[in-house]
Every structure is written in C-alpha cells, then in structure tokens.
Short mmCIF file of all heavy atoms in Angstrom, two decimals:
data_model
loop_
_atom_site.label_atom_id
_atom_site.label_comp_id
_atom_site.label_asym_id
_atom_site.label_seq_id
_atom_site.Cartn_x
_atom_site.Cartn_y
_atom_site.Cartn_z
N MET A 1 0.84 -1.17 0.00
CA MET A 1 0.00 0.00 0.00
C MET A 1 0.89 1.24 0.00
O MET A 1 1.81 1.36 0.78
CB MET A 1 -0.92 -0.02 1.22
CG MET A 1 -1.75 1.19 1.35
SD MET A 1 -2.76 1.10 2.84
CE MET A 1 -4.31 1.45 2.16
N ALA A 2 0.61 2.16 -0.88
CA ALA A 2 1.41 3.38 -0.98
C ALA A 2 0.69 4.53 -0.29
O ALA A 2 -0.54 4.62 -0.31
CB ALA A 2 1.63 3.73 -2.44
N ILE A 3 1.50 5.36 0.32
CA ILE A 3 0.96 6.57 0.94
C ILE A 3 1.30 7.73 0.01
O ILE A 3 2.46 7.96 -0.29
CB ILE A 3 1.55 6.80 2.35
CG1 ILE A 3 1.16 5.63 3.24
CG2 ILE A 3 1.06 8.13 2.90
CD1 ILE A 3 1.79 5.69 4.61
N VAL A 4 0.31 8.40 -0.43
CA VAL A 4 0.51 9.51 -1.37
C VAL A 4 0.23 10.82 -0.65
O VAL A 4 -0.81 10.98 -0.02
CB VAL A 4 -0.42 9.37 -2.60
CG1 VAL A 4 -0.25 10.54 -3.54
CG2 VAL A 4 -0.17 8.05 -3.30
N HIS A 5 1.20 11.72 -0.75
CA HIS A 5 1.01 13.06 -0.17
C HIS A 5 0.86 14.06 -1.31
O HIS A 5 1.73 14.19 -2.16
CB HIS A 5 2.21 13.45 0.71
CG HIS A 5 2.15 14.87 1.19
ND1 HIS A 5 1.23 15.29 2.12
CD2 HIS A 5 2.87 15.95 0.85
CE1 HIS A 5 1.40 16.58 2.33
NE2 HIS A 5 2.39 17.01 1.58
N VAL A 6 -0.24 14.74 -1.33
CA VAL A 6 -0.48 15.78 -2.34
C VAL A 6 -0.32 17.12 -1.65
O VAL A 6 -1.11 17.48 -0.78
CB VAL A 6 -1.88 15.65 -2.96
CG1 VAL A 6 -2.12 16.75 -3.97
CG2 VAL A 6 -2.06 14.28 -3.57
N PRO A 7 0.73 17.87 -2.03
CA PRO A 7 0.93 19.16 -1.38
C PRO A 7 -0.20 20.13 -1.70
O PRO A 7 -0.78 20.09 -2.78
CB PRO A 7 2.26 19.65 -1.95
CG PRO A 7 2.45 18.89 -3.21
CD PRO A 7 1.75 17.59 -3.04
N SER A 8 -0.46 21.01 -0.76
CA SER A 8 -1.51 21.99 -0.97
C SER A 8 -1.09 23.01 -2.01
O SER A 8 0.01 23.55 -1.97
CB SER A 8 -1.82 22.71 0.34
OG SER A 8 -2.74 23.75 0.10
N ARG A 9 -1.93 23.28 -2.94
CA ARG A 9 -1.62 24.25 -3.99
C ARG A 9 -2.60 25.42 -3.93
O ARG A 9 -2.83 26.09 -4.93
CB ARG A 9 -1.68 23.58 -5.35
CG ARG A 9 -0.59 22.55 -5.53
CD ARG A 9 -0.63 21.97 -6.91
NE ARG A 9 0.56 21.16 -7.10
CZ ARG A 9 1.39 21.31 -8.12
NH1 ARG A 9 1.14 22.20 -9.04
NH2 ARG A 9 2.45 20.56 -8.24
N THR A 10 -3.15 25.65 -2.79
CA THR A 10 -4.13 26.71 -2.63
C THR A 10 -3.55 28.07 -3.00
O THR A 10 -4.18 28.86 -3.71
CB THR A 10 -4.67 26.74 -1.20
OG1 THR A 10 -5.19 25.46 -0.89
CG2 THR A 10 -5.75 27.79 -1.05
N ALA A 11 -2.30 28.34 -2.54
CA ALA A 11 -1.68 29.64 -2.83
C ALA A 11 -1.44 29.79 -4.33
O ALA A 11 -1.69 30.87 -4.90
CB ALA A 11 -0.38 29.78 -2.06
N ASP A 12 -0.96 28.73 -4.99
CA ASP A 12 -0.73 28.80 -6.44
C ASP A 12 -2.03 29.04 -7.19
O ASP A 12 -2.09 29.82 -8.13
CB ASP A 12 -0.08 27.51 -6.94
CG ASP A 12 1.33 27.35 -6.44
OD1 ASP A 12 1.91 28.36 -5.97
OD2 ASP A 12 1.85 26.23 -6.51
N THR A 13 -3.08 28.36 -6.77
CA THR A 13 -4.37 28.53 -7.42
C THR A 13 -4.90 29.94 -7.23
O THR A 13 -5.42 30.55 -8.17
CB THR A 13 -5.38 27.51 -6.85
OG1 THR A 13 -4.86 26.20 -7.03
CG2 THR A 13 -6.72 27.62 -7.54
N LEU A 14 -4.75 30.47 -6.02
CA LEU A 14 -5.22 31.83 -5.76
C LEU A 14 -4.49 32.84 -6.63
O LEU A 14 -5.10 33.74 -7.21
CB LEU A 14 -5.05 32.16 -4.27
CG LEU A 14 -5.51 33.55 -3.86
CD1 LEU A 14 -7.01 33.72 -4.11
CD2 LEU A 14 -5.18 33.81 -2.41
N VAL A 15 -3.15 32.70 -6.73
CA VAL A 15 -2.37 33.62 -7.56
C VAL A 15 -2.81 33.51 -9.01
O VAL A 15 -2.98 34.52 -9.71
CB VAL A 15 -0.86 33.33 -7.42
CG1 VAL A 15 -0.06 34.08 -8.47
CG2 VAL A 15 -0.39 33.69 -6.03
N THR A 16 -3.02 32.29 -9.47
CA THR A 16 -3.47 32.09 -10.86
C THR A 16 -4.82 32.75 -11.10
O THR A 16 -5.02 33.41 -12.13
CB THR A 16 -3.55 30.59 -11.17
OG1 THR A 16 -2.28 30.00 -10.95
CG2 THR A 16 -3.98 30.35 -12.61
N VAL A 17 -5.72 32.60 -10.18
CA VAL A 17 -7.05 33.20 -10.32
C VAL A 17 -6.94 34.73 -10.33
O VAL A 17 -7.55 35.40 -11.17
CB VAL A 17 -7.99 32.73 -9.21
CG1 VAL A 17 -9.26 33.56 -9.18
CG2 VAL A 17 -8.34 31.26 -9.40
N LEU A 18 -6.14 35.29 -9.42
CA LEU A 18 -6.00 36.74 -9.37
C LEU A 18 -5.35 37.30 -10.63
O LEU A 18 -5.78 38.33 -11.16
CB LEU A 18 -5.19 37.15 -8.13
CG LEU A 18 -5.91 36.95 -6.79
CD1 LEU A 18 -4.98 37.30 -5.64
CD2 LEU A 18 -7.17 37.78 -6.73
N VAL A 19 -4.33 36.63 -11.13
CA VAL A 19 -3.68 37.08 -12.36
C VAL A 19 -4.66 36.99 -13.53
O VAL A 19 -4.75 37.92 -14.36
CB VAL A 19 -2.41 36.25 -12.65
CG1 VAL A 19 -1.90 36.50 -14.06
CG2 VAL A 19 -1.33 36.57 -11.63
N THR A 20 -5.43 35.92 -13.59
CA THR A 20 -6.40 35.76 -14.68
C THR A 20 -7.46 36.85 -14.62
O THR A 20 -7.80 37.46 -15.66
CB THR A 20 -7.07 34.37 -14.59
OG1 THR A 20 -6.06 33.37 -14.65
CG2 THR A 20 -8.06 34.17 -15.72
N VAL A 21 -7.98 37.14 -13.44
CA VAL A 21 -8.98 38.19 -13.29
C VAL A 21 -8.39 39.55 -13.69
O VAL A 21 -9.04 40.34 -14.39
CB VAL A 21 -9.53 38.22 -11.84
CG1 VAL A 21 -10.36 39.48 -11.60
CG2 VAL A 21 -10.37 36.98 -11.58
N GLY A 22 -7.15 39.82 -13.29
CA GLY A 22 -6.50 41.07 -13.66
C GLY A 22 -6.33 41.22 -15.16
O GLY A 22 -6.59 42.29 -15.72
N VAL A 23 -5.90 40.15 -15.81
CA VAL A 23 -5.70 40.20 -17.26
C VAL A 23 -7.03 40.41 -17.97
O VAL A 23 -7.13 41.20 -18.92
CB VAL A 23 -4.99 38.92 -17.75
CG1 VAL A 23 -5.04 38.81 -19.26
CG2 VAL A 23 -3.55 38.89 -17.26
N VAL A 24 -8.08 39.73 -17.51
CA VAL A 24 -9.39 39.89 -18.13
C VAL A 24 -9.90 41.32 -17.96
O VAL A 24 -10.43 41.92 -18.90
CB VAL A 24 -10.40 38.86 -17.54
CG1 VAL A 24 -11.82 39.19 -17.95
CG2 VAL A 24 -10.03 37.45 -18.00
N LEU A 25 -9.72 41.89 -16.77
CA LEU A 25 -10.17 43.27 -16.54
C LEU A 25 -9.40 44.26 -17.42
O LEU A 25 -10.00 45.19 -17.97
CB LEU A 25 -10.03 43.63 -15.06
CG LEU A 25 -11.03 42.96 -14.12
CD1 LEU A 25 -10.74 43.33 -12.67
CD2 LEU A 25 -12.45 43.32 -14.49
N LEU A 26 -8.08 44.06 -17.55
CA LEU A 26 -7.30 44.95 -18.41
C LEU A 26 -7.71 44.80 -19.87
O LEU A 26 -7.78 45.79 -20.61
CB LEU A 26 -5.81 44.65 -18.25
CG LEU A 26 -5.17 45.17 -16.97
CD1 LEU A 26 -3.72 44.72 -16.88
CD2 LEU A 26 -5.25 46.68 -16.88
N ALA A 27 -8.01 43.57 -20.29
CA ALA A 27 -8.46 43.35 -21.67
C ALA A 27 -9.80 44.02 -21.91
O ALA A 27 -10.02 44.63 -22.97
CB ALA A 27 -8.56 41.85 -21.96
N LEU A 28 -10.71 43.93 -20.93
CA LEU A 28 -12.01 44.59 -21.09
C LEU A 28 -11.85 46.11 -21.11
O LEU A 28 -12.55 46.80 -21.87
CB LEU A 28 -12.95 44.17 -19.96
CG LEU A 28 -13.46 42.73 -20.04
CD1 LEU A 28 -14.27 42.39 -18.80
CD2 LEU A 28 -14.28 42.51 -21.29
N LEU A 29 -10.94 46.64 -20.29
CA LEU A 29 -10.68 48.08 -20.30
C LEU A 29 -10.13 48.52 -21.65
O LEU A 29 -10.57 49.54 -22.22
CB LEU A 29 -9.72 48.46 -19.17
CG LEU A 29 -9.31 49.93 -19.13
CD1 LEU A 29 -10.51 50.81 -18.82
CD2 LEU A 29 -8.20 50.15 -18.11
N ALA A 30 -9.18 47.75 -22.19
CA ALA A 30 -8.61 48.08 -23.50
C ALA A 30 -9.69 48.01 -24.58
O ALA A 30 -9.76 48.88 -25.45
CB ALA A 30 -7.46 47.13 -23.83
N LEU A 31 -10.54 46.98 -24.51
CA LEU A 31 -11.62 46.86 -25.49
C LEU A 31 -12.57 48.04 -25.40
O LEU A 31 -12.99 48.60 -26.43
CB LEU A 31 -12.40 45.56 -25.26
CG LEU A 31 -13.58 45.33 -26.19
CD1 LEU A 31 -13.10 45.18 -27.63
CD2 LEU A 31 -14.37 44.11 -25.76
N TYR A 32 -12.88 48.47 -24.17
CA TYR A 32 -13.76 49.62 -24.01
C TYR A 32 -13.11 50.88 -24.60
O TYR A 32 -13.75 51.65 -25.33
CB TYR A 32 -14.11 49.84 -22.54
CG TYR A 32 -14.82 51.14 -22.32
CD1 TYR A 32 -16.16 51.27 -22.64
CD2 TYR A 32 -14.13 52.26 -21.86
CE1 TYR A 32 -16.81 52.48 -22.49
CE2 TYR A 32 -14.77 53.47 -21.70
CZ TYR A 32 -16.11 53.57 -22.02
OH TYR A 32 -16.74 54.77 -21.88
N LEU A 33 -11.82 51.11 -24.24
CA LEU A 33 -11.16 52.32 -24.70
C LEU A 33 -11.03 52.35 -26.22
O LEU A 33 -11.20 53.40 -26.85
CB LEU A 33 -9.78 52.45 -24.05
CG LEU A 33 -9.80 52.77 -22.56
CD1 LEU A 33 -8.38 52.77 -22.01
CD2 LEU A 33 -10.47 54.10 -22.28
N VAL A 34 -10.73 51.20 -26.81
CA VAL A 34 -10.56 51.16 -28.27
C VAL A 34 -11.91 51.24 -28.97
O VAL A 34 -12.08 51.94 -29.96
CB VAL A 34 -9.80 49.88 -28.69
CG1 VAL A 34 -9.81 49.74 -30.21
CG2 VAL A 34 -8.39 49.90 -28.18
N GLY A 35 -12.90 50.52 -28.45
CA GLY A 35 -14.12 50.36 -29.20
C GLY A 35 -15.25 51.30 -28.87
O GLY A 35 -16.07 51.59 -29.73
N PHE A 36 -15.33 51.77 -27.64
CA PHE A 36 -16.57 52.44 -27.25
C PHE A 36 -16.40 53.82 -26.62
O PHE A 36 -17.35 54.57 -26.54
CB PHE A 36 -17.35 51.55 -26.27
CG PHE A 36 -17.64 50.19 -26.85
CD1 PHE A 36 -16.94 49.09 -26.44
CD2 PHE A 36 -18.62 50.04 -27.83
CE1 PHE A 36 -17.20 47.84 -26.98
CE2 PHE A 36 -18.89 48.80 -28.38
CZ PHE A 36 -18.18 47.69 -27.96
N ASP A 37 -15.20 54.13 -26.13
CA ASP A 37 -15.05 55.38 -25.39
C ASP A 37 -15.24 56.59 -26.30
O ASP A 37 -14.65 56.69 -27.36
CB ASP A 37 -13.67 55.46 -24.76
CG ASP A 37 -13.53 56.72 -23.93
OD1 ASP A 37 -14.23 56.83 -22.93
OD2 ASP A 37 -12.73 57.60 -24.30
N GLN A 38 -16.13 57.47 -25.88
CA GLN A 38 -16.35 58.73 -26.61
C GLN A 38 -16.04 59.92 -25.72
O GLN A 38 -16.40 61.04 -26.03
CB GLN A 38 -17.80 58.81 -27.07
CG GLN A 38 -18.21 57.71 -28.02
CD GLN A 38 -17.64 57.88 -29.43
OE1 GLN A 38 -17.22 58.97 -29.80
NE2 GLN A 38 -17.63 56.83 -30.19
N GLY A 39 -15.41 59.67 -24.55
CA GLY A 39 -15.03 60.74 -23.66
C GLY A 39 -16.00 60.96 -22.51
O GLY A 39 -15.68 61.69 -21.58
N ALA A 40 -17.16 60.33 -22.53
CA ALA A 40 -18.15 60.55 -21.48
C ALA A 40 -17.70 59.92 -20.16
O ALA A 40 -17.91 60.49 -19.10
CB ALA A 40 -19.50 59.98 -21.89
N VAL A 41 -17.07 58.75 -20.23
CA VAL A 41 -16.63 58.07 -19.01
C VAL A 41 -15.20 58.45 -18.68
O VAL A 41 -14.87 58.73 -17.52
CB VAL A 41 -16.75 56.54 -19.18
CG1 VAL A 41 -16.17 55.81 -17.97
CG2 VAL A 41 -18.20 56.14 -19.39
N SER A 42 -14.32 58.50 -19.66
CA SER A 42 -12.91 58.78 -19.39
C SER A 42 -12.66 60.26 -19.15
O SER A 42 -11.59 60.64 -18.69
CB SER A 42 -12.05 58.30 -20.56
OG SER A 42 -12.32 59.05 -21.73
N ARG A 43 -13.64 61.10 -19.43
CA ARG A 43 -13.50 62.55 -19.21
C ARG A 43 -12.30 63.12 -19.94
O ARG A 43 -11.66 64.04 -19.46
CB ARG A 43 -13.39 62.87 -17.71
CG ARG A 43 -14.61 62.52 -16.93
CD ARG A 43 -15.72 63.44 -17.29
NE ARG A 43 -16.84 63.27 -16.36
CZ ARG A 43 -17.98 63.86 -16.52
NH1 ARG A 43 -18.17 64.66 -17.54
NH2 ARG A 43 -18.95 63.67 -15.69
N SER A 44 -11.98 62.56 -21.10
CA SER A 44 -10.83 63.03 -21.85
C SER A 44 -11.26 63.77 -23.11
O SER A 44 -10.44 64.01 -23.98
CB SER A 44 -9.93 61.85 -22.23
OG SER A 44 -10.62 60.96 -23.09
N GLY A 45 -12.53 64.11 -23.18
CA GLY A 45 -13.02 64.73 -24.41
C GLY A 45 -12.90 63.72 -25.52
O GLY A 45 -13.22 62.54 -25.34
N MET A 46 -12.43 64.13 -26.65
CA MET A 46 -12.25 63.21 -27.78
C MET A 46 -10.81 62.70 -27.85
O MET A 46 -10.44 62.03 -28.81
CB MET A 46 -12.63 63.92 -29.08
CG MET A 46 -14.12 64.21 -29.19
SD MET A 46 -15.15 62.73 -29.11
CE MET A 46 -14.90 62.06 -30.74
N PHE A 47 -9.99 63.01 -26.83
CA PHE A 47 -8.58 62.63 -26.88
C PHE A 47 -8.42 61.12 -27.00
O PHE A 47 -7.69 60.62 -27.86
CB PHE A 47 -7.84 63.14 -25.65
CG PHE A 47 -6.42 62.66 -25.56
CD1 PHE A 47 -5.44 63.23 -26.36
CD2 PHE A 47 -6.07 61.63 -24.69
CE1 PHE A 47 -4.13 62.77 -26.29
CE2 PHE A 47 -4.77 61.18 -24.62
CZ PHE A 47 -3.79 61.75 -25.43
N MET A 48 -9.11 60.36 -26.13
CA MET A 48 -8.97 58.90 -26.14
C MET A 48 -9.52 58.33 -27.44
O MET A 48 -8.96 57.41 -28.01
CB MET A 48 -9.66 58.30 -24.93
CG MET A 48 -9.29 56.86 -24.66
SD MET A 48 -7.54 56.61 -24.33
CE MET A 48 -7.42 57.33 -22.70
N HIS A 49 -10.63 58.91 -27.92
CA HIS A 49 -11.21 58.46 -29.19
C HIS A 49 -10.20 58.64 -30.32
O HIS A 49 -9.98 57.72 -31.12
CB HIS A 49 -12.49 59.25 -29.49
CG HIS A 49 -13.11 58.91 -30.80
ND1 HIS A 49 -14.06 57.93 -30.93
CD2 HIS A 49 -12.90 59.40 -32.04
CE1 HIS A 49 -14.41 57.84 -32.21
NE2 HIS A 49 -13.74 58.73 -32.90
N GLU A 50 -9.60 59.80 -30.39
CA GLU A 50 -8.63 60.07 -31.45
C GLU A 50 -7.38 59.21 -31.29
O GLU A 50 -6.80 58.77 -32.27
CB GLU A 50 -8.25 61.55 -31.47
CG GLU A 50 -9.41 62.47 -31.80
CD GLU A 50 -10.01 62.21 -33.18
OE1 GLU A 50 -9.26 61.79 -34.10
OE2 GLU A 50 -11.22 62.41 -33.34
N LEU A 51 -6.97 58.97 -30.03
CA LEU A 51 -5.78 58.15 -29.78
C LEU A 51 -6.00 56.72 -30.26
O LEU A 51 -5.09 56.09 -30.80
CB LEU A 51 -5.44 58.17 -28.29
CG LEU A 51 -4.15 57.50 -27.87
CD1 LEU A 51 -2.95 58.24 -28.46
CD2 LEU A 51 -4.06 57.42 -26.37
N MET A 52 -7.20 56.21 -30.07
CA MET A 52 -7.49 54.81 -30.40
C MET A 52 -8.13 54.67 -31.78
O MET A 52 -8.57 53.59 -32.16
CB MET A 52 -8.45 54.22 -29.36
CG MET A 52 -7.94 54.25 -27.96
SD MET A 52 -6.55 53.13 -27.79
CE MET A 52 -6.11 53.43 -26.09
N HIS A 53 -8.18 55.75 -32.56
CA HIS A 53 -8.95 55.76 -33.78
C HIS A 53 -8.48 54.72 -34.80
O HIS A 53 -9.30 54.00 -35.38
CB HIS A 53 -8.89 57.16 -34.41
CG HIS A 53 -9.96 57.41 -35.40
ND1 HIS A 53 -9.74 57.99 -36.61
CD2 HIS A 53 -11.28 57.11 -35.37
CE1 HIS A 53 -10.87 58.07 -37.27
NE2 HIS A 53 -11.82 57.54 -36.55
N ASP A 54 -7.18 54.58 -35.00
CA ASP A 54 -6.68 53.59 -35.96
C ASP A 54 -6.99 52.18 -35.50
O ASP A 54 -7.36 51.33 -36.32
CB ASP A 54 -5.18 53.77 -36.18
CG ASP A 54 -4.86 55.05 -36.93
OD1 ASP A 54 -5.77 55.61 -37.57
OD2 ASP A 54 -3.69 55.50 -36.86
N GLY A 55 -6.83 51.92 -34.21
CA GLY A 55 -7.16 50.60 -33.68
C GLY A 55 -8.63 50.28 -33.84
O GLY A 55 -9.01 49.15 -34.13
N ARG A 56 -9.45 51.29 -33.68
CA ARG A 56 -10.90 51.12 -33.86
C ARG A 56 -11.21 50.67 -35.29
O ARG A 56 -11.95 49.74 -35.52
CB ARG A 56 -11.59 52.44 -33.55
CG ARG A 56 -13.09 52.39 -33.56
CD ARG A 56 -13.64 53.74 -33.18
NE ARG A 56 -13.14 54.12 -31.87
CZ ARG A 56 -13.90 54.54 -30.87
NH1 ARG A 56 -15.18 54.64 -31.07
NH2 ARG A 56 -13.38 54.87 -29.76
N HIS A 57 -10.60 51.34 -36.26
CA HIS A 57 -10.84 50.96 -37.65
C HIS A 57 -10.20 49.61 -37.97
O HIS A 57 -10.77 48.83 -38.74
CB HIS A 57 -10.28 52.04 -38.58
CG HIS A 57 -11.18 53.23 -38.67
ND1 HIS A 57 -12.19 53.32 -39.58
CD2 HIS A 57 -11.22 54.36 -37.93
CE1 HIS A 57 -12.81 54.48 -39.41
NE2 HIS A 57 -12.25 55.13 -38.41
N LEU A 58 -9.04 49.33 -37.37
CA LEU A 58 -8.38 48.04 -37.60
C LEU A 58 -9.25 46.88 -37.16
O LEU A 58 -9.30 45.85 -37.80
CB LEU A 58 -7.04 48.02 -36.86
CG LEU A 58 -6.20 46.75 -37.01
CD1 LEU A 58 -5.70 46.64 -38.45
CD2 LEU A 58 -5.04 46.77 -36.05
N LEU A 59 -9.97 47.06 -36.05
CA LEU A 59 -10.83 46.00 -35.52
C LEU A 59 -12.21 45.98 -36.16
O LEU A 59 -13.00 45.10 -35.87
CB LEU A 59 -10.97 46.16 -34.01
CG LEU A 59 -9.69 45.95 -33.20
CD1 LEU A 59 -9.92 46.27 -31.74
CD2 LEU A 59 -9.16 44.54 -33.37
N GLY A 60 -12.49 46.97 -37.01
CA GLY A 60 -13.78 46.99 -37.68
C GLY A 60 -14.91 47.48 -36.81
O GLY A 60 -16.09 47.20 -37.10
N VAL A 61 -14.60 48.22 -35.75
CA VAL A 61 -15.64 48.76 -34.89
C VAL A 61 -16.27 49.96 -35.59
O VAL A 61 -15.54 50.82 -36.10
CB VAL A 61 -15.06 49.20 -33.53
CG1 VAL A 61 -16.12 49.84 -32.66
CG2 VAL A 61 -14.43 48.01 -32.82
N PRO A 62 -17.59 50.03 -35.65
CA PRO A 62 -18.23 51.18 -36.29
C PRO A 62 -17.79 52.48 -35.63
O PRO A 62 -17.75 52.59 -34.41
CB PRO A 62 -19.73 50.95 -36.05
CG PRO A 62 -19.85 49.50 -35.81
CD PRO A 62 -18.58 49.07 -35.16
N CYS A 63 -17.44 53.44 -36.45
CA CYS A 63 -16.88 54.68 -35.91
C CYS A 63 -17.61 55.88 -36.51
O CYS A 63 -18.23 56.65 -35.81
CB CYS A 63 -15.39 54.74 -36.22
SG CYS A 63 -14.57 56.17 -35.54
N HIS A 64 -17.48 56.06 -37.79
CA HIS A 64 -18.13 57.19 -38.45
C HIS A 64 -18.44 56.85 -39.88
O HIS A 64 -18.03 55.82 -40.37
CB HIS A 64 -17.24 58.44 -38.39
CG HIS A 64 -15.85 58.21 -38.87
ND1 HIS A 64 -15.47 58.32 -40.18
CD2 HIS A 64 -14.74 57.83 -38.19
CE1 HIS A 64 -14.17 58.04 -40.29
NE2 HIS A 64 -13.71 57.73 -39.11
ZN1 LIG B 1 -13.16 56.55 -37.48
#
C-alpha cells in the first residue's frame, strides 16, 4: 500500500485566479477604450477616441 502526499496548492491557485482576473479586466478596459469610449466616461473629451482611432478601424468597430 502506498501513501501519497499531495501538497496543498491553494496559494498557487489563488495567484493564478487573481492574475487571470487582472488580465481579463485589463483586456475589457482596453476593449472599451478602443471600441466604445467617446469621452463621457474617461472625461478626456475626444482625446482617447482620437488616440485609439486607428485601432478602432483596424478591428472593424463602427466609428463614423
Ligand atoms: Zn473613425
């Protein structure tokens, strides 16, 4: 009969989950800034829109 010890990986799992959530949130923020921001939320006027304008057209997001 073998005795098997499985080390706890709770900390590794937690770090993985936190990193994944962070990456997803940053991706959603980038998607919002590239695709939808018109300055109402970012309070940047049209600066963010103009900054992301080429990326918006590259992704085929309706713009003008
Ligand atoms: Zn455009």
Side-chain angles (χ1 to χ4, degrees):
M1 176 182 231
I3 298 175
V4 178
H5 173 70
V6 178
S8 174
R9 293 183 171 233
T10 304
D12 291 344
T13 303
L14 180 62
V15 169
T16 302
V17 168
L18 290 176
V19 168
T20 303
V21 168
V23 168
V24 168
L25 288 177
L26 285 176
L28 289 174
L29 177 65
L31 178 65
Y32 171 77
L33 290 176
V34 171
F36 303 105
D37 183 66
Q38 299 285 343
V41 175
S42 66
R43 296 290 191 187
S44 63
M46 291 301 284
F47 174 77
M48 194 61 72
H49 177 91
E50 296 299 329
L51 186 65
M52 301 292 177
H53 199 225
D54 291 342
R56 186 177 302 230
H57 282 272
L58 181 68
L59 294 174
V61 177
C63 183
H64 51 88

